[in-house]
PDB file of all heavy atoms in Angstrom:
ATOM      1  N   SER A 396     -10.736  29.521   1.186  1.00  0.00           N
ATOM      2  CA  SER A 396     -11.228  30.719   0.560  1.00  0.00           C
ATOM      3  C   SER A 396     -10.066  31.375  -0.113  1.00  0.00           C
ATOM      4  O   SER A 396      -8.886  31.008   0.077  1.00  0.00           O
ATOM      5  CB  SER A 396     -11.819  31.731   1.572  1.00  0.00           C
ATOM      6  OG  SER A 396     -10.737  32.243   2.410  1.00  0.00           O
ATOM      7  N   GLU A 398      -9.012  35.068  -0.022  1.00  0.00           N
ATOM      8  CA  GLU A 398      -9.436  36.137   0.754  1.00  0.00           C
ATOM      9  C   GLU A 398      -8.281  36.942   1.332  1.00  0.00           C
ATOM     10  O   GLU A 398      -7.269  36.285   1.784  1.00  0.00           O
ATOM     11  CB  GLU A 398     -10.338  35.672   1.910  1.00  0.00           C
ATOM     12  CG  GLU A 398     -10.910  36.767   2.739  1.00  0.00           C
ATOM     13  CD  GLU A 398     -11.447  36.208   4.079  1.00  0.00           C
ATOM     14  OE1 GLU A 398     -10.850  35.220   4.529  1.00  0.00           O
ATOM     15  OE2 GLU A 398     -12.529  36.792   4.608  1.00  0.00           O
ATOM     16  N   GLN A 399      -8.343  38.241   1.253  1.00  0.00           N
ATOM     17  CA  GLN A 399      -7.219  39.025   1.909  1.00  0.00           C
ATOM     18  C   GLN A 399      -6.937  38.561   3.327  1.00  0.00           C
ATOM     19  O   GLN A 399      -7.925  38.311   4.112  1.00  0.00           O
ATOM     20  CB  GLN A 399      -7.456  40.497   1.808  1.00  0.00           C
ATOM     21  CG  GLN A 399      -8.622  41.067   2.707  1.00  0.00           C
ATOM     22  CD  GLN A 399      -8.223  41.239   4.199  1.00  0.00           C
ATOM     23  OE1 GLN A 399      -7.085  41.284   4.507  1.00  0.00           O
ATOM     24  NE2 GLN A 399      -9.213  41.335   5.095  1.00  0.00           N
ATOM     25  N   HIS A 400      -5.712  38.420   3.702  1.00  0.00           N
ATOM     26  CA  HIS A 400      -5.352  38.177   5.024  1.00  0.00           C
ATOM     27  C   HIS A 400      -4.286  39.162   5.589  1.00  0.00           C
ATOM     28  O   HIS A 400      -3.149  38.733   6.069  1.00  0.00           O
ATOM     29  CB  HIS A 400      -4.822  36.710   5.067  1.00  0.00           C
ATOM     30  CG  HIS A 400      -5.950  35.681   5.424  1.00  0.00           C
ATOM     31  ND1 HIS A 400      -6.804  35.368   4.494  1.00  0.00           N
ATOM     32  CD2 HIS A 400      -6.244  35.019   6.520  1.00  0.00           C
ATOM     33  CE1 HIS A 400      -7.675  34.511   4.977  1.00  0.00           C
ATOM     34  NE2 HIS A 400      -7.412  34.265   6.232  1.00  0.00           N
ATOM     35  N   THR A 408      -4.517  31.631   2.586  1.00  0.00           N
ATOM     36  CA  THR A 408      -4.216  31.187   3.948  1.00  0.00           C
ATOM     37  C   THR A 408      -5.375  30.190   4.391  1.00  0.00           C
ATOM     38  O   THR A 408      -5.055  29.217   4.988  1.00  0.00           O
ATOM     39  CB  THR A 408      -4.174  32.388   4.890  1.00  0.00           C
ATOM     40  OG1 THR A 408      -3.016  33.116   4.530  1.00  0.00           O
ATOM     41  CG2 THR A 408      -4.087  32.004   6.337  1.00  0.00           C
ATOM     42  N   ASP A 409      -6.574  30.485   4.104  1.00  0.00           N
ATOM     43  CA  ASP A 409      -7.686  29.645   4.667  1.00  0.00           C
ATOM     44  C   ASP A 409      -7.821  28.247   4.037  1.00  0.00           C
ATOM     45  O   ASP A 409      -8.469  27.429   4.490  1.00  0.00           O
ATOM     46  CB  ASP A 409      -9.024  30.355   4.511  1.00  0.00           C
ATOM     47  CG  ASP A 409      -9.187  31.498   5.554  1.00  0.00           C
ATOM     48  OD1 ASP A 409      -8.335  31.641   6.376  1.00  0.00           O
ATOM     49  OD2 ASP A 409     -10.092  32.316   5.377  1.00  0.00           O
ATOM     50  N   ILE A 412      -3.987  26.288   5.471  1.00  0.00           N
ATOM     51  CA  ILE A 412      -3.905  25.802   6.837  1.00  0.00           C
ATOM     52  C   ILE A 412      -4.668  24.407   6.973  1.00  0.00           C
ATOM     53  O   ILE A 412      -4.027  23.466   7.377  1.00  0.00           O
ATOM     54  CB  ILE A 412      -4.381  26.850   7.805  1.00  0.00           C
ATOM     55  CG1 ILE A 412      -3.357  28.000   7.950  1.00  0.00           C
ATOM     56  CG2 ILE A 412      -4.472  26.214   9.261  1.00  0.00           C
ATOM     57  CD1 ILE A 412      -3.726  29.155   8.847  1.00  0.00           C
ATOM     58  N   GLY A 483     -11.642  25.984   6.781  1.00  0.00           N
ATOM     59  CA  GLY A 483     -10.579  26.933   7.152  1.00  0.00           C
ATOM     60  C   GLY A 483     -10.969  28.372   7.085  1.00  0.00           C
ATOM     61  O   GLY A 483     -10.156  29.300   7.339  1.00  0.00           O
ATOM     62  N   HIS A 484     -12.253  28.580   6.835  1.00  0.00           N
ATOM     63  CA  HIS A 484     -12.738  29.991   6.586  1.00  0.00           C
ATOM     64  C   HIS A 484     -14.057  30.094   7.360  1.00  0.00           C
ATOM     65  O   HIS A 484     -15.047  29.427   7.109  1.00  0.00           O
ATOM     66  CB  HIS A 484     -12.901  30.210   5.037  1.00  0.00           C
ATOM     67  CG  HIS A 484     -13.515  31.525   4.648  1.00  0.00           C
ATOM     68  ND1 HIS A 484     -13.021  32.760   4.881  1.00  0.00           N
ATOM     69  CD2 HIS A 484     -14.705  31.766   3.975  1.00  0.00           C
ATOM     70  CE1 HIS A 484     -13.799  33.745   4.335  1.00  0.00           C
ATOM     71  NE2 HIS A 484     -14.782  33.144   3.744  1.00  0.00           N
ATOM     72  N   LEU A 485     -14.023  31.032   8.385  1.00  0.00           N
ATOM     73  CA  LEU A 485     -15.199  31.137   9.335  1.00  0.00           C
ATOM     74  C   LEU A 485     -16.569  31.256   8.563  1.00  0.00           C
ATOM     75  O   LEU A 485     -17.531  30.619   8.954  1.00  0.00           O
ATOM     76  CB  LEU A 485     -14.959  32.391  10.096  1.00  0.00           C
ATOM     77  CG  LEU A 485     -15.757  32.551  11.379  1.00  0.00           C
ATOM     78  CD1 LEU A 485     -15.164  31.764  12.543  1.00  0.00           C
ATOM     79  CD2 LEU A 485     -15.823  34.051  11.813  1.00  0.00           C
ATOM     80  N   TYR A 517     -11.434  23.765  12.506  1.00  0.00           N
ATOM     81  CA  TYR A 517     -10.290  23.289  13.196  1.00  0.00           C
ATOM     82  C   TYR A 517      -9.925  24.171  14.436  1.00  0.00           C
ATOM     83  O   TYR A 517      -9.488  23.652  15.453  1.00  0.00           O
ATOM     84  CB  TYR A 517      -9.042  23.190  12.243  1.00  0.00           C
ATOM     85  CG  TYR A 517      -8.434  24.502  11.805  1.00  0.00           C
ATOM     86  CD1 TYR A 517      -7.569  25.108  12.647  1.00  0.00           C
ATOM     87  CD2 TYR A 517      -8.790  25.122  10.650  1.00  0.00           C
ATOM     88  CE1 TYR A 517      -7.102  26.448  12.289  1.00  0.00           C
ATOM     89  CE2 TYR A 517      -8.365  26.315  10.223  1.00  0.00           C
ATOM     90  CZ  TYR A 517      -7.482  26.959  11.105  1.00  0.00           C
ATOM     91  OH  TYR A 517      -6.952  28.229  10.686  1.00  0.00           O
ATOM     92  N   HIS A 541      -8.917  37.093  12.628  1.00  0.00           N
ATOM     93  CA  HIS A 541      -8.651  37.029  11.188  1.00  0.00           C
ATOM     94  C   HIS A 541      -7.199  37.487  10.864  1.00  0.00           C
ATOM     95  O   HIS A 541      -6.970  38.734  11.077  1.00  0.00           O
ATOM     96  CB  HIS A 541      -9.660  37.809  10.382  1.00  0.00           C
ATOM     97  CG  HIS A 541      -9.484  37.817   8.963  1.00  0.00           C
ATOM     98  ND1 HIS A 541      -9.560  36.715   8.083  1.00  0.00           N
ATOM     99  CD2 HIS A 541      -9.020  38.831   8.059  1.00  0.00           C
ATOM    100  CE1 HIS A 541      -9.232  37.063   6.873  1.00  0.00           C
ATOM    101  NE2 HIS A 541      -8.960  38.281   6.846  1.00  0.00           N
ATOM    102  N   ALA A 542      -6.392  36.675  10.390  1.00  0.00           N
ATOM    103  CA  ALA A 542      -4.981  37.009  10.027  1.00  0.00           C
ATOM    104  C   ALA A 542      -4.209  37.513  11.234  1.00  0.00           C
ATOM    105  O   ALA A 542      -3.227  38.247  11.118  1.00  0.00           O
ATOM    106  CB  ALA A 542      -4.935  38.103   8.899  1.00  0.00           C
ATOM    107  N   GLU A 546      -3.567  32.449  12.998  1.00  0.00           N
ATOM    108  CA  GLU A 546      -3.336  32.096  11.597  1.00  0.00           C
ATOM    109  C   GLU A 546      -1.891  32.443  11.187  1.00  0.00           C
ATOM    110  O   GLU A 546      -1.242  31.759  10.447  1.00  0.00           O
ATOM    111  CB  GLU A 546      -4.291  32.831  10.724  1.00  0.00           C
ATOM    112  CG  GLU A 546      -5.650  32.255  10.713  1.00  0.00           C
ATOM    113  CD  GLU A 546      -6.635  32.834   9.709  1.00  0.00           C
ATOM    114  OE1 GLU A 546      -6.650  34.123   9.511  1.00  0.00           O
ATOM    115  OE2 GLU A 546      -7.338  32.167   9.027  1.00  0.00           O
TER     116      GLU A 546
HETATM  117 ZN1  LIG B 945      -8.331  33.081   7.560  1.00  0.00          ZN
END
Side-chain angles (χ1 to χ4, degrees):
S396 70
E398 182 194 35
Q399 71 78 17
H400 271 72
T408 293
D409 286 350
I412 292 177
H484 173 63
L485 194 83
Y517 72 82
H541 176 71
E546 283 186 318

